[in-house]
Amino acid sequence: MFVDELIDAKKENHKKFHAENEEFASELLKSIPESLSTIAKVKYINLYKEDVREANQYLLDARNQNITVSKLKSDIRAEHEEIKIAARIITSDFMRTSINLTKKLAVKFTETEMGMKIPGRTFEIKFERCCCEKFWRRTLRKQVRQEREKSHLKIAPEFMRYCSNDAVNESESQDSADNEFRKAYKAESESGELFELPSLEESIINKKNELWTRAKGIGDLAKKENLEARLITLTCPSKFHATRTFNKTVVRNKKYENLTPAESHKHLNDCWKKTRALLAKKKIKPMFIVTVEPHKNGTAHWHVVMFAKESEWSSIEKTLLNKFLKDHNPEESGAAIRRVKIDKVKNGVEGAIAYATKYILKHTAGIEGEKAETDRVVAWRRSWGVRAFRFSHDAATVYRLMRKRDFKAEELIDVQEAAKDGEYAKFLTLYKESEAKTEYEDTKNKYGEESKKFFGILINEKILRRTEKWKLTRVKVEKERENLEKVTVNIKEPSKSKSKKDNINYAKVTHINTISSRLKRTSLKKPPSPSGDSGALLHYVPKSTFRQ
């Protein structure tokens, strides 16, 4: 080996060689996120003992993986403020570039330059998105988040637990910002009533209760129709897994094809759609509750609680095996055991709902003593945009409307009472019998894109809807108004302890500070003009790239 040959070399040259490599490695490690650099350093040292070239090549590959995000050239270590600056510069550059181009050419140039497709049905809609700083901010944040997770999967998948520590920290920051938002705003009705927004903890508990009510309702319907329950676990082929377990030790999977958790979830979703389509042709419509879970290496797998007639189960099992196993490399080692697993439930419907409740808790409020695990699962779901639950009977929008305080439906009084009492099975049955329909209205978003918005419930040629409209009111504005009133009082009635001149000056300063602070929050911030004379879109590299 090359390292062994170095031992026979002169001592001075040996020291010089190691010093040069140490300097080289230190520079490369700076381009890797802190949470990964420690792991990468340990791996580099271990590889260095065996083969210097292989060790250096490992760091180069790690640096190339981590230095940028797509063609947007944003560092994956970029934080919130750096992403905001990058988005502002990209927006400013696009607006400057589009001055001498048509909308169509400007959008096409941007798509080529950025290496991505701008969402939108027409070029006018795409153009409006490109002019929006918030759109680029969201796009950058999503890509930074997912590229960071890809880096962890490539460099150190054996150290992951559902997701990276960076993802957990970002998720906690997101919750903290959410809490601050809830404190800063109140819900205001047309009549002027003000209500405090529920805290994040209250919202999580409400979500958990609603999911459990819906799951229990489906269980009650299954029990009423004498359906049999099965617990089904669906997993992905080996190419989706970054690691595998060998002799109780987590090791890298050589069959891994650098596929993301989002792609593993899409694979399962596609197979599920084909399964349901085939069952529908056979006139089999089972009831189900689907929960999406991550493996330790981040790959998605599904837990399904399914209810069907005893005579239908043989056909359901055959269809599941065809679509999830036989169509995707069935000869793979362990595929027959792990890919599709179907178990009978000991305690019938009650046991199946208890099984589903465990995962509802895991994705919301958390199981007692496992809060850290819940935080990691939630962070994983947010990182990859995965929907955690889906139900065969989904009338959640109407169910929530029926429970609103400002919604009155005399024609559907029984349905509304069932919804308010939390009797989901009764609510579904009565709503179906009423032959009421959900009504949607055409609306446009700020980019001019048409969409359908839930409007109300149509029954007997009458549309039922909420009686009041609500808006968010900033709490701080009310405090500022009080401050302004105090300033006015100070100007009219100066204090006797000071001279009249001192009181007027104090009032002016207070007034100016109050107004300027309001302007900072409410005024539109114009993006700074980018440096350079190039007409192409400026690629922003944040300061963190040059950290020493």
Side-chain angles (χ1 to χ4, degrees):
M1 287 186 194
F2 189 48
V3 174
D4 293 330
E5 293 174 6
L6 288 173
I7 296 171
D8 299 329
K10 290 182 180 180
K11 196 172 182 181
E12 301 81 36
N13 294 336
H14 187 68
K15 280 185 177 181
K16 185 179 178 182
F17 176 81
H18 281 296
E20 288 174 353
N21 274 285
E22 186 180 358
E23 186 180 350
F24 169 78
S26 298
E27 286 298 317
L28 290 182
L29 285 168
K30 288 176 186 176
S31 64
I32 300 172
E34 289 181 17
S35 55
L36 274 173
S37 60
T38 306
I39 298 169
K41 186 177 180 180
V42 172
K43 284 195 171 189
Y44 174 76
I45 291 168
N46 291 334
L47 287 170
Y48 191 87
K49 292 174 183 177
E50 301 295 327
D51 192 325
V52 178
R53 285 187 179 181
E54 188 180 342
N56 289 336
Q57 188 60 49
Y58 164 76
L59 274 190
L60 281 169
D61 291 341
R63 191 276 308 271
N64 293 337
Q65 172 72 18
N66 284 277
I67 195 67
T68 57
V69 176
S70 183
K71 288 190 177 182
L72 293 178
K73 300 296 180 185
S74 180
D75 196 295
I76 69 164
R77 298 165 299 169
E79 296 177 354
H80 179 65
E81 289 302 320
E82 293 172 316
I83 289 172
K84 282 175 69 175
I85 295 168
R88 196 175 302 165
I89 292 174
I90 291 171
T91 308
S92 175
D93 247 354
F94 173 80
M95 295 174 75
R96 186 183 64 180
T97 307
S98 62
I99 292 172
N100 299 320
L101 297 173
T102 62
K103 290 183 178 181
K104 187 175 181 179
L105 284 174
V107 170
K108 282 189 172 182
F109 173 78
T110 305
E111 288 181 333
T112 304
E113 192 70 14
M114 296 299 189
M116 60 176 286
K117 281 283 183 184
I118 308 296
R121 296 174 186 173
T122 63
F123 282 105
E124 286 77 12
I125 294 169
K126 290 182 177 184
F127 183 86
E128 290 299 323
R129 275 199 167 91
C130 290
C131 294
C132 179
E133 185 183 322
K134 283 187 178 179
F135 165 74
W136 289 115
R137 197 188 304 164
R138 287 193 297 266
T139 303
L140 274 174
R141 189 179 290 117
K142 181 181 176 181
Q143 290 204 3
V144 165
R145 185 184 295 139
Q146 294 190 356
E147 289 295 328
R148 182 193 59 218
E149 293 302 295
K150 287 180 189 177
S151 299
H152 280 268
L153 284 169
K154 185 171 182 178
I155 295 173
E158 60 270 36
F159 292 94
M160 286 186 70
R161 187 174 178 81
Y162 306 134
C163 63
S164 67
N165 291 334
D166 290 331
V168 177
N169 293 336
E170 185 182 14
S171 181
E172 288 174 354
S173 299
Q174 192 174 334
D175 286 342
S176 179
D178 190 3
N179 261 327
E180 291 300 318
F181 178 85
R182 290 166 186 267
K183 290 175 184 176
Y185 285 87
K186 285 186 178 181
E188 185 179 359
S189 66
E190 283 181 319
S191 58
E193 288 184 283
L194 285 171
F195 294 92
E196 288 187 359
L197 300 179
S199 66
L200 182 62
E201 290 75 18
E202 289 172 339
S203 294
I204 290 171
I205 291 169
N206 291 340
K207 182 181 179 182
K208 178 202 72 175
N209 292 339
E210 185 191 283
L211 288 168
W212 184 83
T213 301
R214 290 165 66 188
K216 184 178 177 297
I218 290 173
D220 291 341
L221 289 174
K223 198 173 181 179
K224 188 178 179 181
E225 296 180 24
N226 295 318
L227 303 181
E228 283 195 0
R230 296 284 190 280
L231 307 180
I232 304 168
T233 304
L234 305 170
T235 59
C236 293
S238 183
K239 65 181 181 179
F240 290 94
H241 294 266
T243 61
R244 65 188 184 92
T245 305
F246 181 73
N247 289 338
K248 296 183 179 180
T249 305
V250 179
V251 296
R252 285 174 178 260
N253 180 20
K254 293 180 180 178
K255 295 180 181 179
Y256 180 53
E257 296 181 5
N258 292 324
L259 297 167
T260 65
E263 289 170 315
S264 67
H265 177 61
K266 184 180 182 299
H267 164 78
L268 293 172
N269 199 27
D270 291 342
C271 294
W272 181 253
K273 286 178 182 176
K274 292 173 184 177
T275 301
R276 290 192 67 194
L278 276 176
L279 291 175
K281 285 182 180 179
K282 298 174 185 178
K283 296 183 179 179
I284 298 174
K285 293 184 178 180
M287 299 181 188
F288 58 81
I289 303 164
V290 176
T291 308
V292 183
E293 279 275 297
H295 286 290
K296 293 291 189 293
N297 58 24
T299 308
H301 67 281
W302 285 16
H303 294 288
V304 185
V305 177
M306 189 175 282
F307 308 96
K309 294 177 182 177
E310 187 179 357
S311 58
E312 296 173 340
W313 270 111
S314 59
S315 181
I316 291 171
E317 289 178 9
K318 187 178 178 181
T319 307
L320 283 168
L321 287 169
N322 282 336
K323 293 301 165 190
F324 284 88
L325 177 62
K326 292 182 180 179
D327 289 357
H328 303 280
N329 194 9
E331 292 81 19
E332 188 176 72
S333 176
I337 302 169
R338 298 184 183 89
R339 202 77 66 76
V340 180
K341 190 178 178 182
I342 304 173
D343 297 316
K344 287 187 177 181
V345 186
K346 291 181 181 179
N347 299 324
V349 173
E350 289 83 359
I353 297 303
Y355 179 81
T357 302
K358 170 189 169 184
Y359 293 103
I360 289 171
L361 283 171
K362 192 173 181 179
H363 280 270
T364 52
I367 301 169
E368 189 175 351
E370 297 182 11
K371 185 67 172 64
E373 186 121 335
T374 298
D375 291 341
R376 299 195 80 88
V377 171
V378 171
W380 171 83
R381 198 175 72 238
R382 286 174 175 174
S383 295
W384 298 106
V386 174
R387 181 182 172 188
F389 301 98
R390 63 181 70 185
F391 300 86
S392 54
H393 295 63
D394 201 356
T397 304
V398 178
Y399 178 72
R400 289 168 192 155
L401 178 66
M402 290 286 182
R403 292 169 61 86
K404 299 291 183 185
R405 67 187 295 274
D406 60 342
F407 180 79
K408 295 178 181 179
E410 294 178 1
E411 294 82 353
L412 298 169
I413 191 67
D414 294 339
V415 181
Q416 190 169 17
E417 284 179 1
K420 286 186 174 181
D421 293 338
E423 297 178 8
Y424 196 68
K426 185 180 178 181
F427 158 76
L428 288 172
T429 304
L430 292 173
Y431 182 68
K432 187 177 180 181
E433 290 173 356
S434 69
E435 297 183 355
K437 295 180 180 179
T438 52
E439 193 70 10
Y440 294 87
E441 63 178 346
D442 294 325
T443 184
K444 288 185 178 182
N445 60 17
K446 65 179 182 180
Y447 306 119
E449 198 167 26
E450 293 182 355
S451 60
K452 297 283 186 181
K453 184 181 178 182
F454 178 67
F455 182 70
I457 299 171
L458 178 65
I459 182 168
N460 299 332
E461 298 182 355
K462 182 182 178 182
I463 296 176
L464 307 175
R465 55 178 301 181
R466 297 178 72 174
T467 55
E468 287 192 89
K469 289 185 179 180
W470 296 78
K471 66 178 181 178
L472 290 175
T473 303
R474 194 175 179 89
V475 178
K476 289 182 180 179
V477 171
E478 295 174 5
K479 292 180 181 178
E480 285 167 12
R481 284 173 185 164
E482 291 175 8
N483 291 336
L484 284 171
E485 288 173 6
K486 289 178 183 177
V487 169
T488 309
V489 170
N490 283 336
I491 293 172
K492 289 181 179 179
E493 298 178 11
S495 173
K496 294 178 181 179
S497 60
K498 294 183 181 180
S499 67
K500 186 176 180 181
K501 186 177 179 181
D502 289 339
N503 273 288
I504 291 172
N505 288 337
Y506 174 78
K508 283 181 179 178
V509 170
T510 310
H511 183 74
I512 290 166
N513 290 339
T514 306
I515 297 299
S516 63
S517 64
R518 291 181 69 185
L519 285 171
K520 283 178 183 177
R521 284 194 296 270
T522 57
S523 61
L524 292 173
K525 295 180 181 178
K526 292 185 179 180
S529 57
S531 58
D533 299 325
S534 173
L537 291 172
L538 180 65
H539 289 157
Y540 170 70
V541 181
K543 291 181 181 179
S544 57
T545 308
F546 308 105
R547 287 174 187 158
Q548 296 181 357

